[in-house]
């Protein structure tokens, strides 16, 4: 029996309702303000992120939802696939069931299988289904194999290692919402359209196109934190996603999402409006348009307007893309909004939200019309430029990548447009060369990016030596020899001040390379007789080879030159003080909070220490004080640092001791009987050098992980001085001494509250006074808007005006009002808009300001916040010519739809 899109949705919800799930509405396409990690909602689980992370108390047990998603940016971006594959959409609806520490792997898999295969529900033949699991998830494998009884050859195990770590994050069957955040392994269900009898070996790569991923079941157990650590969450969650369009294509037995009922409806309207038939030439373009119209519609309805960056840019790109494809299909004079109007009128199920009124439709029209107008001219220009180039081609069948790049880079033509226009003329485009040139350009533009070690062209034979490291000794300078020179990722023989991003490898060094959380040393090298100077901005290590990264200040550096190298001593002392403080802090944390706490990571910079550790509560002020005091107590004991280096194997040459950054040696750092840790960092010789240690911040990083920020040495004294300065400033302001400060502030807060209440009373009094100047007759009605224009020759205080105007607007349900008042002896024109008035405010304001300009012929000062505009006039006498104004405004609105 045929099931339409809507019935499939209802079926899904009903199934999970029968399994005691609560039905929740999907969230907005625009993620919440606090979630900066996403441009658009890209999965059903987005709205539950804070529950997963333990930031919000769990209030659900089992939930089912249908979520509008957009995958057009960030980690999940399907933009370039649209129209060319049978399974991608920019906008789609994702159905999902979720468990919050209720059921887990077994039920999640059993539910999915029942819904997909049961005759009562989706009735998909079992023989066409295949599954994948992550290599670490034997449990799910066994459920598929032993309980569901899927033949083993239909279960594909993906992923590299069964021990999960940060490398697992990019593997198949490991799902993350964005670059950071909740994540976990997944098991996925695939559908194969073909007769699958003959398949004896399920291999996604061999026949990828025949396998359609229909259901992703994720077991959320971890949080990947922004400082690259994977931590266990306190609870376990199930997060599943089943693309409504995809599953509909399976249930409706068509082999592409563009052939399901809602798309055939959209496409037939497009064809009708364009007065064309679907053919092989226009098919992909029509698919792209049919995909984009849905995204455009929902983005506009969410209040997004086209712009040159962020979300508005995505909307602009989609609208422009549609216009490009319309042009490519050679539809002349199509007016994009008429297509939308037709879609909205004919497909209310897809294009009409609950309360889409004529008012919203005109809002959509304004946006689309404006964008179309703006883009039309530049589109025509681009096409002319390309046509001219194509005419001049020597080889009439081939467009060189260099030319493509020129058109793209200099004239701003999109690759899509170039390729499609060439296709129409049977001209081949060298896309590979274009991509290569684009890469080179990207590399060039990474101005300050430091050398990227993973791309480094290492000639292994040249690395028979390792850089010897003398950085733990007392040496402040050292003579050394240049062994290799790199510019960006390429090896060269010499460099001068014209090169950026240079790195130098020496035979030996005292510069500490970034490791163990400690940042790399800075400093400089000079040549014999000061013939050159190289500034080192950072030091890094790769394969026991130490790279000094920076630039030439003067002179010429060559391979085999002798150099005198010196690190920045002040910087090194700060890093050493901070590193030793971190060891003492770790000791103190264990003493004060219990020995079970573990170090989760640390970062040691010149002016700041961050230290992450496992603990489940916010630290009290007393705990912070005790932790800090113990560290300072140890510092004051004048303890010597004791360094012990052990060879792991006795056969190792002692000389290798200078190559400490490898696995062959263990270095232990000890301070008295207090702290002992394996460590490769630099440390103070005596704790007294540190002087002082201070904790400046403590907060939660994720569930059960806390972070301490601290300072030591001169930064600690500066910190205390800053605090004192702040206190002094406040005391001076309040004319009390520091001791009385607290009570004085309490008193002030009380007084503020009293004043606020008085202010309210005064505002209300004023309000009744000002209201006397208005009457119902002042309201002008036109179409379905009410507005008010009034000359008031009275003084109105700036602070009061906002309150007053807002009151008027709400009281009389106005769309906007314009009044003149006097403020600071000047005439002010105040224009206040209802925030729900969905017209192009800028445009409307322009019209008003033009009118005022005509009437006053003087320069205006305009101050705006979103809904209140203030125009200040020098001319004290000015009065609005109300009738002309009203006439003009009506004229304006007669062309704008609501
Ligand atoms: N979050 C997963 C996905 O989007 C499962 O819902 O694929």
């Amino acid at each position: 029996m045929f099931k339409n899109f809507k019935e499939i949705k209802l079926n899904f919800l009903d199934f999970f309702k029968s399994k005691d799930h609560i039905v929740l509405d999907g969230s907005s396409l625009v993620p919440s303000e606090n979630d900066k990690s996403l441009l658009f909602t890209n999965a059903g689980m987005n709205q539950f992120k804070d529950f997963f992370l333990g930031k919000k108390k769990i209030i659900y047990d089992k939930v089912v939802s249908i979520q509008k998603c957009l995958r057009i940016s960030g980690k999940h971006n399907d933009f370039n696939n649209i129209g060319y594959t049978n399974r991608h959409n920019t906008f789609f609806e994702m159905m999902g069931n979720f468990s919050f520490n209720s059921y887990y792997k077994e039920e999640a898999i059993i539910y999915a299988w029942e819904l997909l295969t049961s005759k009562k529900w989706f009735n998909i033949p079992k023989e066409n289904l295949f599954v994948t699991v992550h290599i670490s998830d034997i449990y799910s494998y066994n459920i598929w194999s032993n309980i569901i009884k899927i033949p083993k050859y239909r279960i594909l195990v993906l992923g590299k290692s069964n021990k999960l770590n940060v490398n697992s994050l990019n593997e198949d069957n490991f799902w993350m919402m964005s670059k950071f955040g909740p994540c976990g392994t997944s098991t996925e269900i695939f559908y194969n359209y073909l007769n699958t009898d003959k398949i004896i070996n399920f291999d996604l790569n061999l026949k990828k196109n025949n396998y359609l991923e229909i259901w992703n079941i994720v077991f959320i157990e971890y949080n990947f934190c922004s400082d690259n650590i994977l931590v266990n969450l306190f609870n376990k969650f199930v997060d599943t996603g089943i693309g409504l369009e995809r599953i509909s294509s399976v249930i409706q037995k068509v082999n592409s999402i563009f052939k399901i009922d809602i798309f055939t409806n959209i496409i037939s309207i497009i064809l009708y409006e364009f007065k064309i038939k679907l053919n092989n030439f226009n098919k992909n373009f029509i698919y792209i348009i049919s995909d984009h119209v849905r995204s455009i519609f929902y983005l506009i309805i969410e209040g997004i307007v086209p712009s040159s960056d962020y979300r508005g840019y995505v909307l602009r790109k989609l609208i422009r893309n549609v216009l490009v494809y319309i042009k490519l299909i050679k539809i002349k004079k199509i007016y994009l909004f008429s297509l939308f109007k037709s879609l909205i009128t004919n497909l209310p199920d897809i294009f009409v939200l609950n309360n889409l009124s004529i008012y919203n439709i005109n809002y959509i029209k304004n946006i689309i019309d404006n964008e179309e107008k703006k883009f039309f001219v530049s589109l025509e220009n681009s096409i002319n430029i390309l046509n001219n180039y194509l005419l001049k081609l020597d080889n009439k069948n081939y467009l060189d990548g260099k030319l493509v790049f020129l058109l793209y880079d200099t004239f701003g033509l999109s690759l899509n447009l170039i390729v499609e226009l060439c296709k129409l003329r049977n001209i081949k485009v060298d896309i590979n060369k274009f991509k290569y040139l684009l890469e080179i350009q990207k590399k060039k533009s990474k101005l300050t990016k430091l050398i990227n070690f993973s791309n480094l062209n290492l000639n292994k034979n040249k690395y028979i030596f390792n850089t010897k490291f003398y950085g733990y000794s007392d040496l402040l300078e050292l003579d050394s020899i240049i062994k290799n020179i790199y510019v960006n990722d390429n090896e060269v023989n010499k460099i001068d001040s014209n090169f950026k991003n240079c790195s130098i490898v020496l035979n030996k060094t005292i510069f500490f390379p970034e490791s163990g959380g400690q940042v790399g040393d800075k400093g400089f090298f000079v040549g014999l007789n000061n013939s050159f100077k190289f500034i080192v901005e950072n030091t890094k290590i790769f394969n026991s080879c130490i790279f000094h990264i920076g630039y030439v200040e003067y002179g010429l550096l060559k391979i085999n030159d002798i150099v005198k190298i010196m690190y920045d001593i002040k910087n090194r002392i700060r890093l050493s003080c901070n590193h030793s403080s971190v060891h003492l802090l770790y000791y103190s944390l264990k003493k004060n909070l219990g020995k079970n706490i573990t170090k989760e990571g640390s970062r040691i910079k010149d002016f700041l220490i961050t230290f992450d550790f496992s603990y489940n509560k916010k630290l009290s002020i007393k705990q912070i004080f005790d932790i800090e005091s113990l560290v300072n107590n140890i510092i004051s004991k004048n303890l010597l640092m004791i360094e012990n280096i052990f060879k792991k194997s006795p056969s190792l040459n002692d000389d290798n001791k200078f190559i400490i950054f490898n696995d062959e040696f263990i270095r232990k750092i000890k301070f008295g009987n207090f702290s002992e840790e394996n460590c490769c960092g630099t440390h103070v010789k005596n704790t007294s050098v540190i002087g002082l240690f201070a904790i400046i911040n403590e907060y939660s990083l994720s569930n059960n992980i806390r972070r301490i920020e601290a300072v030591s040495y001169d930064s600690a004294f500066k910190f205390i001085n800053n605090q004192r300065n702040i206190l002094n400033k406040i005391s001076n302001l309040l004319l009390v001494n520091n001791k009385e400060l607290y009570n004085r502030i309490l008193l002030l807060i009380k007084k503020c509250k009293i004043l606020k209440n008085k202010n309210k009373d005064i505002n209300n009094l004023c309000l009744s006074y000002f209201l006397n100047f208005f009457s119902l007759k002042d309201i002008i009605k036109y179409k379905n808007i009410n507005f008010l224009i009034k000359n008031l020759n009275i003084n109105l205080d700036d602070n009061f005006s906002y309150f007053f105007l807002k009151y008027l607007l709400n009281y009389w349900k106005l769309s906007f009002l314009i009044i003149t008042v006097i403020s600071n002896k000047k005439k002010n024109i105040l224009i206040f808009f209802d925030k729900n008035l969905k017209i192009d405010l800028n445009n409307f304001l322009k019209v008003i300001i033009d009118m005022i300009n005509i009437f006053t012929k003087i320069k205006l000062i305009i101050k705006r916040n979103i809904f209140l505009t203030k125009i200040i006039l020098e001319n004290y006498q000015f009065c609005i010519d109300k009738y002309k104004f009203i006439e003009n405004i009506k004229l304006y609105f007669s062309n704008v739809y609501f």
Side-chain angles (χ1 to χ4, degrees):
M1 200 184 68
F2 180 84
K3 279 193 178 118
N4 68 26
F5 195 67
K6 211 166 164 186
E7 285 163 344
I8 295 170
K9 265 190 198 183
L10 290 177
N11 253 214
F12 180 79
L13 295 178
D14 284 345
F15 175 81
F16 280 102
K17 272 198 263 179
S18 78
K19 307 285 180 203
D20 300 328
H21 286 60
I22 302 174
V23 181
L24 281 191
D25 284 341
S27 58
S28 153
L29 257 188
V30 177
S32 88
E33 280 286 304
N34 326 331
D35 196 345
K36 301 269 180 270
S37 70
L38 281 182
L39 203 55
F40 295 105
T41 299
N42 68 356
M45 53 70 73
N46 292 173
Q47 63 169 323
F48 306 122
K49 185 176 161 189
D50 284 350
F51 296 109
F52 292 172
L53 292 179
K55 287 187 183 164
K56 275 191 191 163
K57 197 166 167 262
I58 297 177
I59 45 174
Y60 311 113
D61 188 19
K62 303 170 198 171
V63 164
V64 58
S65 76
I66 300 182
Q67 175 67 54
K68 297 190 168 47
C69 297
L70 204 69
R71 289 198 172 171
I72 197 166
S73 56
K75 185 168 163 56
H76 300 280
N77 183 350
D78 293 333
F79 192 69
N80 290 328
N81 293 323
I82 310 298
Y84 296 95
T85 73
N86 56 2
R87 56 184 192 278
H88 287 104
N89 281 139
T90 47
F91 171 89
F92 65 97
E93 295 190 65
M94 190 186 268
M95 309 192 285
N97 55 299
F98 302 87
S99 151
F100 298 80
N101 221 18
S102 163
Y103 60 84
Y104 205 45
K105 298 189 177 177
E106 185 168 334
E107 291 90 330
I109 292 175
I110 293 175
Y111 288 157
W113 193 253
E114 184 186 343
L115 175 63
L116 289 178
T117 59
S118 149
K119 285 213 165 48
K120 185 172 169 213
W121 302 102
F122 289 167
N123 195 19
I124 299 172
K126 291 180 185 156
E127 314 77 73
N128 292 70
L129 297 174
F130 294 77
V131 296
T132 59
V133 293
H134 191 265
I135 186 167
S136 64
D137 188 7
I138 299 168
Y139 196 81
S140 294
Y141 184 94
N142 285 338
I143 298 169
W144 285 117
S145 174
N146 301 337
I147 301 182
I148 306 288
K149 299 208 180 327
I150 290 200
K152 286 206 165 78
Y153 75 87
R154 285 167 183 249
I155 310 175
L156 191 63
V157 178
L158 294 172
K160 289 209 181 77
S161 155
N162 50 16
K163 278 213 178 109
L164 284 183
N165 53 39
V166 287
N167 297 328
S168 319
L169 305 180
N170 294 322
E171 288 177 2
D172 283 324
N173 287 53
F174 194 96
W175 198 88
M176 276 174 70
M177 173 182 115
S178 54
K179 230 166 127 197
F180 302 107
C183 51
T185 59
S186 67
T187 174
E188 296 178 6
I189 308 177
F190 287 78
Y191 175 80
N192 194 314
Y193 292 106
L194 299 182
N195 176 353
T196 52
D197 287 353
K198 295 199 183 68
I199 299 178
I200 46 163
N201 213 348
F202 169 32
D203 181 346
L204 278 176
N205 289 328
L206 274 181
K207 290 191 166 184
K208 199 160 192 163
N209 285 330
N210 296 329
Y211 290 100
L212 178 71
E213 180 199 328
I214 51 174
W215 202 327
N216 187 12
I217 304 171
V218 185
F219 306 113
I220 302 263
E221 283 181 70
Y222 309 97
N223 180 20
F224 185 53
C225 306
S226 54
D227 44 1
N228 295 343
I229 41 177
L230 194 63
V231 292
N232 277 306
L233 293 170
F234 202 61
N235 291 306
K236 288 188 163 62
F237 305 90
V238 173
D239 150 30
T240 88
I242 171 167
L244 179 54
E245 290 76 0
R246 286 191 187 181
I247 196 71
S248 301
S249 76
V250 174
I251 295 173
Q252 296 180 1
K253 299 196 176 66
V254 287
N255 60 5
S256 157
I257 44 173
F258 293 104
K259 293 183 184 159
I260 64 173
D261 56 339
I262 59 155
F263 274 105
T264 49
N265 290 342
I266 295 175
I267 289 169
S268 61
I269 301 250
I270 295 176
L271 297 177
Y272 174 80
E273 283 294 320
F274 290 180
K275 302 190 181 43
I276 55 169
K277 290 210 158 63
L278 203 60
N279 57 31
N280 274 344
F281 155 69
N282 64 24
K283 196 174 76 191
N284 289 342
F285 304 156
I286 296 288
Y287 285 169
I288 295 175
I289 296 174
S290 70
D291 166 89
H292 286 11
V293 287
R294 280 210 304 162
S295 310
I296 294 171
F297 176 79
Y298 284 106
L299 284 176
I300 295 180
I301 287 294
E302 288 276 357
I304 292 163
V305 274
S307 68
S308 55
D309 59 9
Y310 214 47
R311 298 193 174 105
Y313 174 70
V314 172
L315 176 58
R316 169 163 290 168
K317 190 161 138 184
L318 286 163
I319 297 179
R320 292 187 169 190
N321 230 19
V322 170
L323 292 168
V324 165
Y325 286 110
I326 290 182
K327 190 89 196 164
L328 287 173
I329 312 174
K330 291 205 174 146
I331 309 289
K332 291 214 171 89
K333 286 207 179 134
I334 173 83
Y335 175 48
L336 187 53
F337 178 69
S338 62
L339 172 63
F340 274 87
K341 205 163 166 196
S342 184
L343 289 167
I344 292 168
T345 324
N346 291 303
L347 302 176
D349 263 4
I350 309 169
F351 285 95
V352 176
L353 295 175
N354 298 340
N355 49 4
L356 191 72
S357 60
I358 186 80
Y359 170 81
N360 301 115
I361 294 178
N362 284 307
Y363 175 69
I364 298 174
K365 177 181 185 306
N366 266 339
I367 289 185
I368 292 181
D369 282 356
N370 258 336
E371 202 52 30
E372 188 169 9
K373 245 183 264 159
K374 271 189 217 152
F375 186 52
F376 189 72
V377 183
S378 69
L379 180 62
E380 291 281 302
N381 283 345
S382 307
I383 293 178
N384 287 341
I385 293 171
L386 184 63
N387 282 340
N388 283 340
Y389 269 88
L390 295 181
L391 281 177
K392 285 186 231 147
L393 281 187
D394 291 339
N395 177 350
K396 296 282 177 218
N397 303 320
Y398 182 78
L399 186 64
D400 189 301
K402 256 192 188 164
L403 254 170
V404 182
F405 187 73
L406 179 90
L407 293 166
Y408 170 89
D409 196 42
T410 316
F411 297 108
L413 270 61
S414 78
L415 182 64
N416 258 351
L417 182 68
I418 301 174
V419 171
E420 297 297 353
L421 283 174
C422 288
K423 244 196 229 163
L424 295 181
R425 295 169 174 77
N426 281 332
I427 298 173
K428 271 200 174 154
V429 179
D430 185 353
I431 296 184
N432 284 340
K433 188 148 172 204
F434 165 80
K435 284 192 175 154
Y436 168 77
L437 292 170
L438 191 65
E439 262 317 294
I440 294 191
Q441 193 208 36
K442 270 190 197 155
K443 270 193 187 156
K444 272 195 205 148
S445 66
K446 280 182 203 156
L447 267 177
T448 51
K449 197 184 150 286
L450 296 173
I451 191 157
N452 175 358
F453 290 110
S454 53
N455 289 342
L456 201 65
N457 228 339
L458 284 182
N459 178 344
K460 287 274 182 294
N461 295 333
K462 287 196 177 170
Y463 287 85
I464 39 175
F465 73 91
N466 295 302
T467 314
K468 285 187 181 166
F469 180 71
Y470 293 89
Y472 299 139
S473 65
D474 291 332
L475 291 171
L476 299 180
E477 54 176 65
L478 184 73
D479 287 335
S480 193
I481 299 169
I482 297 182
K483 283 288 174 188
N484 304 83
I485 306 177
Y486 290 89
V487 175
N488 291 319
D489 299 344
N490 304 315
E491 191 163 6
V492 296
N493 291 326
K494 51 185 186 230
I495 44 170
D496 60 20
S497 59
N498 290 319
F499 293 90
K500 292 205 172 78
N501 292 342
C502 308
S503 344
I504 291 182
V505 179
L506 304 170
N507 64 337
K508 51 186 176 176
T509 188
I510 46 174
F511 278 65
F512 178 83
E514 181 177 319
S515 40
Q518 180 176 335
V519 299
D521 270 338
K522 298 188 230 175
F524 63 90
F525 310 162
V526 286
L528 284 178
N529 304 324
N530 260 330
S531 53
F532 59 76
K533 186 168 181 186
F534 183 82
I535 306 292
V536 181
E537 296 174 306
N538 198 0
T539 311
K540 292 196 178 192
I541 182 161
F542 183 70
N543 274 359
S544 298
C545 196
I546 296 177
F547 293 79
H548 304 80
I549 301 163
Y551 60 93
V552 179
E553 194 171 278
Y554 57 79
L556 180 75
L557 269 80
K558 297 187 301 307
I559 291 196
N560 289 333
D561 276 353
I562 296 178
V563 288
K564 187 176 284 304
I565 69 174
M566 269 165 267
Y567 58 64
D568 176 338
I569 298 172
K570 211 56 195 163
N571 183 60
R572 169 64 89 80
I573 295 177
R574 287 187 178 116
L575 292 172
S576 301
C577 285
N578 281 349
H579 206 144
S580 300
S581 300
V582 161
H583 285 208
L584 302 183
L585 171 63
Y586 190 26
Y587 170 81
S588 175
L589 282 169
K590 280 188 182 277
K591 270 275 159 226
N592 280 290
L593 307 177
K595 37 180 198 315
N596 291 337
I597 68 139
T598 51
K599 174 173 165 181
E600 298 292 338
S602 64
R603 185 97 182 125
I604 296 141
K605 296 194 197 161
D606 45 359
F607 295 112
L608 185 70
I609 299 166
T610 56
F611 188 87
D612 305 335
F613 59 101
S614 59
Y615 196 64
N616 58 3
K617 279 197 292 283
K618 180 158 185 57
L619 301 189
S620 66
I621 294 182
K622 174 161 186 324
Q623 278 173 319
I624 293 182
F625 178 70
D626 290 347
I627 293 163
E628 189 181 74
S629 303
L630 180 55
V631 174
N632 280 317
N633 197 317
I634 305 173
I635 288 174
S636 66
K637 286 189 195 303
N638 241 349
L639 297 175
L640 282 181
M641 183 270 282
I642 299 165
E643 173 196 58
N644 280 311
I645 297 181
F646 306 99
K647 277 193 274 184
K648 273 193 186 163
S649 138
S651 61
L652 285 171
N653 182 344
D654 259 354
D655 202 30
N656 274 343
K657 169 164 147 188
F658 299 109
I659 311 162
I660 47 85
F661 292 93
N662 60 24
D663 292 337
E664 293 159 3
F665 288 87
I666 297 175
R667 179 171 177 258
K668 279 198 185 300
I669 298 293
K670 204 172 158 189
F671 292 102
N673 289 327
F674 298 99
S675 130
E676 179 168 352
E677 280 186 52
N678 292 351
C679 179
C680 63
T682 64
H683 287 272
V684 292
K685 294 258 166 304
N686 188 314
T687 55
S688 62
V689 180
I690 304 172
L692 187 67
F693 168 85
I695 294 179
I696 59 176
N697 216 345
E698 187 274 340
Y699 52 91
S700 153
L701 204 59
S702 67
N703 211 359
N704 288 335
I705 308 275
R706 309 221 43 105
R707 170 169 285 180
I708 279 182
E709 288 178 354
V711 283
S712 80
Y713 190 59
D714 56 346
S715 298
F717 289 101
K718 269 192 204 140
F719 169 72
I720 288 178
N721 197 35
N722 281 344
Q723 302 288 313
R724 184 172 43 217
N725 285 344
I726 294 172
L727 274 185
N728 286 345
K729 267 192 198 158
I730 304 176
S731 312
N732 287 343
L733 266 181
L734 300 180
L735 301 175
V736 287
N737 66 34
N738 289 358
K739 276 189 197 152
E740 292 163 30
L741 206 50
Y742 179 76
N743 285 336
R744 172 54 64 98
I745 290 177
L746 276 189
L747 196 72
L748 282 174
I749 292 175
K750 255 192 207 159
K751 276 189 181 168
C752 267
K753 269 193 192 144
I754 296 171
L755 280 177
K756 225 175 169 179
N757 285 335
K758 274 195 185 156
N759 203 13
K760 249 194 210 157
D761 294 343
I762 295 173
N763 274 352
N764 285 335
L765 256 179
C766 293
L767 199 62
S768 40
Y769 168 74
F770 283 114
L771 280 178
N772 285 331
F773 292 98
F774 294 89
S775 86
L776 257 180
K777 275 191 251 132
D778 291 326
I779 301 175
I780 303 144
K781 287 186 198 295
Y782 182 70
K783 287 192 161 183
N784 54 355
I785 54 166
N786 297 336
F787 61 101
L788 189 151
I789 299 182
K790 186 135 191 129
N791 286 301
L792 275 188
N793 277 327
I794 48 175
N795 280 302
L796 197 65
D797 163 42
D798 269 0
N799 289 332
F800 178 67
S801 59
Y802 180 74
F803 171 79
F804 174 59
L805 295 174
K806 201 167 160 192
Y807 182 86
L808 274 185
L809 197 96
N810 290 335
Y811 186 69
W812 275 318
K813 307 223 171 338
L814 302 174
S815 302
F816 65 92
L817 53 87
I818 306 175
I819 61 173
T820 65
V821 291
I822 302 162
S823 172
N824 290 332
K825 303 209 172 104
K826 295 213 167 106
K827 188 56 82 61
N828 285 354
I829 303 176
L830 302 175
I831 308 166
F832 195 70
F833 293 102
D834 173 9
K835 65 175 186 307
N836 296 318
L837 181 64
K838 291 203 167 142
I839 58 162
D840 183 339
L841 290 189
N842 282 326
N843 200 348
F844 180 51
L845 258 181
K846 229 180 118 240
V847 173
I848 295 179
I849 290 166
D850 281 349
M851 277 193 265
I852 297 169
N853 259 324
I854 293 168
F855 299 147
T856 60
K857 296 204 173 46
I858 48 169
K859 214 170 148 220
L860 312 169
I861 304 168
I862 296 163
K863 294 187 178 170
R864 268 201 80 180
N865 62 33
I866 298 199
F867 301 110
L868 176 64
T869 307
K870 183 165 89 172
I871 301 173
I872 304 168
L873 303 176
E874 296 294 335
N875 182 352
Y876 178 74
Q877 300 299 333
F878 176 79
C879 275
I880 292 178
D881 180 339
K882 209 165 132 182
Y883 296 102
K884 272 198 191 147
F885 241 74
I886 295 173
E887 228 169 71
N888 272 308
I889 287 176
K890 280 185 177 172
L891 189 70
Y892 175 76
F893 281 114
S894 67
N895 293 320
V896 178
Y897 297 84
F898 290 89

